[in-house]
Amino acid sequence: MKLLVTGGAGYVGSVCTAHLLDAGHEVTVLDDLSTGHRDAVPAAAAFVEGDVATATDGVLATGAFDGVLHFAARSLVGESVVDPAGYWHGNVLTSVALLDAVRAHRVPRLVFSSTAATYGEPEQSPITEDSPTRPTNPYGATKLAIDHAIASYAAASGGELGAVSLRYFNVAGAHRPVDGPMLGERHTTETHLIPLVLQVALGEREHVSMFGDDWPTHDGTCVRDYIHVDDLAAAHLLALDAAGEGDGPGTHLVCNLGNGTGFSVREVVEACRRVTGHPIPAVVAPRRAGDPAVLVASARRARTRLGWAPQRGDLDGIVADAWSFARARVAS
Ligand code: UDP
């Protein structure tokens, strides 16, 4: 298929681009490099540097695209609380402009990076796609708004557009291509647990802070569902098929992506100690605003509707890949 990947210079977007190319697809990456890295875009992909809001239409005009995978977004919960305008403009208005371009050029498939943050504080665990969506921060609210926009564009497309929103839980790990450098998480401002813990093992910070040890969980720290980025990427390839055929055109399918197993912050730190052999000092810090105690996915729908089966659910394996990537980054 001829595909456009927005945000293909970012963590998840670059790994998905690598998987798409490996599967024989023709990929054009559109990214403004505001948070992504040019050298993360696999060499076999065409690259256009530009703003998704204004450049998508021009890119789609260059040929008959079979699908768009839309990763480009701002994605930091804390930042979204202090700069909501950046998120409503950068995520929602940009995505509506993208949808207009998709409609204008009659692109038949759209796969969107959504998030577990659309659910907010869950009433039940594991979280199914039918759970209430009450996001507790602007980041989650903007992703939910885009999910709604996609649903209505698909419904009104007269059967021309099939779309899938994939709601990611905690993505981690790194991709090891057959040739070329590993692809992993490298944010200028790192807020995610596993890369932060590994920075301690690299000697880049003295300790990791565990945000709260009085949560209603088995060891008092927050529980999350960690999914390997390669498993996540595999789901996008399946979603492209489902958007075009499996679920029929003119529909919007929402699927959670997670392993269905939760690990606490303490257990993640322990896994990082096992993998790195470093003692990794950890101190208890106050709770972080907006954190739910437990976020674990039911990915039953992804299994049944997409035929997805995660292969890399082992936490130590996820951490080991993130560790290889972190060490390679420091060495380069
Ligand atoms: N966390 C932590 N210390 C840190 C960073 C994160 O204790 O320095 C916790 C955070 O409160 C949450 C879990 O680790 O319970 C995962 O956080 P992350 O930011 O990686 O992902 P989120 O679940 O917010 O998407």
Side-chain angles (χ1 to χ4, degrees):
M1 288 191 220
K2 183 174 170 59
L3 302 170
L4 172 63
V5 173
T6 73
Y11 170 40
V12 176
S14 64
V15 174
C16 283
T17 297
H19 279 248
L20 291 165
L21 291 166
D22 285 349
H25 297 295
E26 178 190 338
V27 180
T28 299
V29 166
L30 171 61
D31 197 303
D32 66 2
L33 300 181
S34 56
T35 55
H37 306 271
R38 178 66 183 88
D39 63 4
V41 179
F47 179 69
V48 177
E49 182 174 345
D51 179 349
V52 172
T54 51
T56 302
D57 190 67
V59 175
L60 293 180
T62 62
F65 280 80
D66 301 299
V68 172
L69 296 100
H70 180 32
F71 299 95
R74 296 179 65 175
S75 61
L76 298 179
V77 168
E79 182 185 64
S80 78
V81 175
V82 294
D83 178 25
Y87 279 70
W88 288 99
H89 284 269
N91 289 355
V92 177
L93 297 188
T94 296
S95 296
V96 171
L98 178 136
L99 278 166
D100 287 337
V102 163
R103 182 178 56 184
H105 295 282
R106 311 178 96 169
V107 179
R109 299 173 187 81
L110 175 66
V111 178
F112 175 59
S113 289
S114 190
T115 169
T118 52
Y119 296 111
E121 184 72 49
E123 284 173 3
Q124 55 159 55
S125 186
I127 299 172
T128 67
E129 294 81 357
D130 300 321
S131 303
T133 42
R134 288 189 290 251
T136 52
N137 53 64
Y139 166 61
T142 60
K143 288 285 186 169
L144 181 61
I146 299 164
D147 281 345
H148 286 306
I150 292 171
S152 56
Y153 273 67
S157 70
E160 286 190 359
L161 176 65
V164 180
S165 287
L166 299 173
R167 292 193 172 155
Y168 309 164
F169 282 63
N170 289 65
V171 189
H175 174 68
R176 201 181 293 273
V178 179
D179 51 1
M182 285 187 85
L183 299 170
E185 215 168 347
R186 27 176 182 146
H187 302 117
T188 315
T189 312
E190 191 51 74
T191 62
H192 291 125
L193 181 64
I194 291 176
L196 281 174
V197 178
L198 295 178
Q199 286 178 5
V200 182
L202 285 171
E204 294 180 343
R205 60 176 66 229
E206 292 200 341
H207 64 262
V208 64
S209 298
M210 298 191 295
F211 298 146
D213 67 348
D214 56 353
W215 296 94
T217 61
H218 63 280
D219 67 10
T221 64
C222 285
V223 169
R224 295 288 182 274
D225 183 338
Y226 295 87
I227 170 173
H228 196 290
V229 67
D230 279 332
D231 280 336
L232 193 82
H236 289 72
L237 273 77
L238 296 167
L240 268 178
D241 293 337
E245 295 157 18
D247 214 43
T251 59
H252 178 227
L253 178 66
V254 177
C255 290
N256 291 340
L257 295 180
N259 282 303
T261 309
F263 292 98
S264 71
V265 171
R266 258 187 228 288
E267 288 167 340
V268 170
V269 174
E270 278 302 330
C272 293
R273 288 177 180 143
R274 278 194 300 275
V275 167
T276 64
H278 188 284
I280 308 183
V283 301
V284 176
R287 289 181 173 195
R288 186 174 69 176
D291 262 345
V294 179
L295 285 178
V296 175
S298 162
R300 213 171 68 160
R301 185 182 289 175
R303 289 170 185 274
T304 56
R305 301 289 289 275
L306 305 182
W308 180 66
Q311 310 290 321
R312 311 284 311 276
D314 167 54
L315 181 61
D316 285 26
I318 291 173
V319 169
D321 284 350
W323 178 232
S324 297
F325 174 74
R327 278 190 304 174
R329 172 180 61 76
V330 170
S332 66

